Amino acid sequence: MDKTFETEESTAVSRRDFFKKTASVSAIAAASILAPSSLLADDPAIMHHTKWGTTLGDECNAHPYGMPSKYEHNVVRRTSALMSSAGDMHAAISMTPLHELNGIIVPNGLHFTRTHNGVAHIDPNEWRLMIHGLVEKPIVLTLDQLKRYPSETRINFMECPSNGAAEWKGPQFGSLQFARGMMSCSEWTGVKLSVILEDLGLKPEAKWMLAEGSDGSEMSRTLPIEKVLDDVIIAYAQNGEALRDEQGYPVRLFAPGWEANLCVKWLKRLEFGTKPWYAKEETSKYTALTASGKAIQHFYALETNSIITTPSPEHPWTDLKKGDLVEIEGLAWSGHGTIRGVDISFDGGKNFVEANLKGLVLPKAWTRFSYMYKYEGKPLLLQSRSYDDSDNVQPTVNQEKKVVGVEGVYHRNAIHTWAVNAKGEVSNVQIRS
Ligand SMILES: Nc1nc2c(c(=O)[nH]1)N[C@H]1C(S)=C(S)[C@@H](COP(=O)(O)O)O[C@H]1N2
Ligand SMILES: [Mo]
């Protein structure tokens, strides 16, 4: 490598990098995470025989499909009649416990679930998928036939576009799970639609695709052909196993980074046409009404977003002492691409420091961020602000309102604020500017 170039690179530390490094190094020098234990050798938890250490455990295959430890019984999806159509829990939504997760993969049993007509249970031998309209070779596929196509696997988040929308006019929930739990992130496996369409011969006039579900709601959605050919898959597996019934077993549509309502579950039919079906009012789509009175019509990809998961109302800092070092963690995601960075504010958005991204940093996937903080026992207004590789920066509530306008009920991505009081308790507040 060119010597001059090398020197230039290594000394060109950006302001951001410099700030990040100095902030974490000085915090670690001034504090430690845990004080040494006083009991040590006499500690009864170590020196005495335990119940589980003096008996036989279960036989190794007592549970052929393993379940979480019984002590993890609180780690569950949660819902409320407020999340339903007039209290009917068949048309409702249950939320992912974001505060209990690690890494970026949501266990299948915790994936948020939205149903318009209950969870369907489909015998895969009876399941069929019709692909027709503007294709040379219309077809009805069995599941085995679908799986003959080469598979594609990737990690992507999925978010209902109304996640957080109830809080447009102010905080409604004193919990992270209820405020933001209409999203998850999984490793999805299926067949790329571009691969199937190459085989079936997509006619050049085809501009839109209709996807229809086979559950009682027959939910259908319309997608533009550019997206369909880019990265949409027909998914049959999630995190290494078949889809769960709740997620559309045996097959669902998956449109990475776009509104989850387009990801039609219990998929039955794909039709290709020249016009979007919603123009004929045969299916629905979401738009955003702006302050000018004009609507944003094509509104599919979810904007850059983030939320702090610790601390949170479910994960307060009430057991910390002044001077303790503690990790702030959260999730960032963008339907437009890859998360490039996340900033954290302790004073409600006046000043920001840069967090570290950790683990996998993938396009259209949750990205975990972290910041080591020296706890001072004083009130904070904690925020995170993400930015992606398409130059999108997460807006404030007022900035978002200027773009999506008066009826901003979908795609809410405004900066979220947790208030931490002097006792370390965390509550949901809103700072608009
Ligand atoms: N067939 C069918 N597909 C559907 C729905 C439905 O009720 N029926 N709900 C949609 C909505 S609004 C969302 S947010 C996502 C939720 O996917 P999940 O339940 O796997 O999280 O599925 C979408 N696909
Ligand atoms: Mo949704």
Side-chain angles (χ1 to χ4, degrees):
M1 193 199 269
D2 176 343
K3 192 105 179 56
T4 337
F5 178 66
E6 210 179 284
T7 326
E8 259 175 32
E9 265 230 316
S10 55
T11 50
V13 181
S14 74
R15 262 182 72 90
R16 271 186 186 286
D17 282 347
F18 181 73
F19 196 27
K20 182 167 68 184
K21 282 179 190 124
T22 47
S24 49
V25 168
S26 60
I28 286 163
S32 68
I33 293 173
L34 292 176
S37 166
S38 51
L39 279 165
L40 278 189
D42 298 331
D43 193 322
I46 299 298
M47 299 310 291
H48 292 219
H49 293 302
T50 57
K51 232 182 343 187
W52 62 88
T54 49
T55 50
L56 261 182
D58 288 346
E59 286 184 2
C60 87
N61 203 31
H63 305 284
Y65 193 102
M67 295 294 284
S69 160
K70 65 179 179 184
Y71 301 104
E72 298 295 313
H73 60 85
N74 268 325
V75 184
V76 288
R77 292 185 284 238
R78 288 189 175 82
T79 187
S80 127
L82 292 172
M83 305 274 161
S84 69
S85 299
D88 180 350
M89 301 313 287
H90 297 91
I93 188 154
S94 69
M95 337 276 271
T96 294
L98 302 176
H99 57 291
E100 300 281 12
L101 301 176
N102 301 283
I104 59 168
I105 299 293
V106 175
N108 290 345
L110 297 177
H111 195 284
F112 84 99
T113 299
R114 168 73 170 118
T115 56
H116 288 76
N117 195 69
V119 174
H121 299 271
I122 301 179
D123 177 344
N125 296 312
E126 287 175 35
W127 177 85
R128 296 289 182 276
L129 174 65
M130 176 186 274
I131 305 179
H132 67 135
L134 296 174
V135 286
E136 303 292 347
K137 284 192 292 177
I139 199 169
V140 174
L141 288 170
T142 64
L143 187 56
D144 286 343
Q145 286 173 321
L146 176 67
K147 289 182 177 175
R148 293 261 307 276
Y149 287 107
S151 68
E152 165 106 350
T153 294
R154 57 165 95 107
I155 296 172
N156 289 125
F157 76 83
M158 183 185 310
E159 183 181 24
C160 173
S162 54
N163 195 21
E167 305 214 309
W168 185 250
K169 293 192 169 81
Q172 308 291 317
F173 304 103
S175 115
L176 169 63
Q177 184 167 10
F178 278 96
R180 282 305 167 95
M182 292 185 201
M183 60 164 178
S184 297
C185 184
S186 300
E187 187 197 73
W188 301 95
T189 298
V191 183
K192 278 191 89 172
L193 259 164
S194 59
V195 170
I196 297 182
L197 289 172
E198 193 164 86
D199 197 39
L200 301 185
L202 183 69
K203 295 189 178 169
E205 322 83 270
K207 292 286 174 280
W208 294 86
M209 180 182 84
L210 174 82
E212 185 182 70
S214 63
D215 56 319
S217 74
E218 290 201 329
M219 214 194 74
S220 61
R221 285 292 186 270
T222 285
L223 289 96
I225 201 72
E226 296 77 19
K227 176 68 174 175
V228 170
L229 294 176
D230 176 25
D231 63 358
V232 174
I233 64 173
I234 305 182
Y236 49 76
Q238 184 185 0
N239 298 329
E241 64 178 4
L243 297 182
R244 293 290 171 91
D245 287 329
E246 290 90 332
Q247 270 55 64
Y249 180 87
V251 171
R252 82 178 307 165
L253 197 72
F254 188 72
W258 282 26
E259 300 175 339
N261 64 93
L262 303 165
C263 303
V264 173
K265 304 193 278 189
W266 310 295
L267 189 64
K268 168 187 185 171
R269 193 166 72 86
L270 297 173
E271 185 178 346
F272 292 85
T274 55
K275 288 203 187 82
W277 276 259
Y278 59 77
K280 296 182 272 176
E281 288 178 16
E282 284 170 25
T283 181
S284 58
K285 78 183 285 290
Y286 299 138
T287 55
L289 186 61
T290 68
S292 72
K294 285 195 174 176
I296 304 172
Q297 195 193 7
H298 294 290
F299 192 50
Y300 301 110
L302 296 157
E303 287 74 19
T304 191
N305 213 333
S306 69
I307 185 83
I308 291 175
T309 55
T310 35
S312 56
E314 291 98 321
H315 259 307
W317 275 346
T318 40
D319 58 351
L320 292 187
K321 294 181 309 301
K322 236 176 160 169
D324 280 351
L325 251 194
V326 64
E327 184 176 27
I328 296 172
E329 270 197 78
L331 296 165
W333 63 101
S334 169
H336 290 273
T338 307
I339 290 296
R340 275 286 166 257
V342 177
D343 299 327
I344 291 181
S345 176
F346 297 90
D347 55 11
K350 292 193 191 89
N351 299 285
F352 283 92
V353 294
E354 194 180 1
N356 294 303
L357 303 185
K358 62 178 195 180
L360 294 173
V361 179
L362 299 170
K364 303 173 189 174
W366 276 358
T367 300
R368 198 163 268 273
F369 63 86
S370 156
Y371 184 86
M372 290 308 291
Y373 174 67
K374 192 171 141 191
Y375 183 66
E376 289 166 355
K378 55 176 201 199
L380 303 172
L381 291 170
L382 209 51
Q383 299 184 333
S384 61
R385 176 180 71 188
S386 65
Y387 48 100
D388 68 16
D389 63 352
S390 304
D391 289 336
N392 300 300
V393 180
Q394 197 180 343
T396 64
V397 176
N398 285 343
Q399 283 165 349
E400 184 183 11
K401 203 173 160 191
K402 279 199 194 126
V403 182
V404 294
V406 281
E407 302 279 307
V409 289
Y410 298 118
H411 296 214
R412 210 168 151 259
N413 73 319
I415 291 172
H416 187 89
T417 311
W418 297 126
V420 185
N421 70 15
K423 288 188 233 159
E425 295 158 339
V426 181
S427 59
N428 189 359
V429 299
Q430 193 167 91
I431 291 175
R432 304 181 73 86
S433 55

